[in-house]
Amino acid sequence: MSPDHRTPTPSGPLLRGKRRKIGGLATTALLVAIGLITPAAAIAHTMTGHASAADDRCDKPGMGGLDNCRGPRPPKPKPKPTPTPTPPPTGCNDIDSAVQGMTKYVSVVCSGEVRVLSVDEAGPNPPTPVANGSGVFWQLVGGPTNVFDATLSVFDARLLVTELTSTGEVWQGVCTSALPLTVPCTFTQMPTPPNT
């Protein structure tokens, strides 16, 4: 019968494929029963007639359940999402201090920026906060604007401000320590720490 005169089946290609396979298995069983081929040859013939999981037909949606696709296919790995940098918190969230002689420096991280307060510990009524020439107590030291954490240390006549940003960068600022602190400080990016 030509393909143009076939009666359409309600199940479509899926049922036609199963009929074809059942017919092939019946023929193979008959050949084994009458002794024309060995069981081992029948198994080899049946296996070579199957599509492998690498066959393009097995990768199409809904085709994995067909008998022509051998075994379950391994799931395709999902791409790893790109991490988004965490924005710095708002408000003040970190504090540190360092002492040099009778001067103490206190740092705070507020809305991603570092500010430092100079405190005179020897004044007539210690501790005495010291404002700059404009009357500002908490001075902005400069550097990145997405800081999460900052530490202070002193060395000779310098105050060192080390900052960790929300993107994992480390910056070090060198300030001339005075009463009050001389700003802005000079910042240099340090090597990025390993992300383990």
Side-chain angles (χ1 to χ4, degrees), residues 53-77:
D55 191 343
D56 289 338
R57 290 180 296 160
C58 294
D59 290 332
K60 293 180 182 174
M63 297 298 280
L66 292 179
D67 292 333
N68 288 343
C69 299
R70 258 189 306 202
R73 293 183 310 258
K76 293 183 179 178

Side-chain angles (χ1 to χ4, degrees), residues 94-98 105-109 114-117 138 150-152 161:
D94 181 61
I95 191 166
D96 195 25
S97 64
Y105 299 100
V106 181
S107 70
V108 290
V109 178
V114 179
R115 297 178 184 276
V116 174
L117 172 68
W138 290 97
T151 60
L152 297 180
V161 182

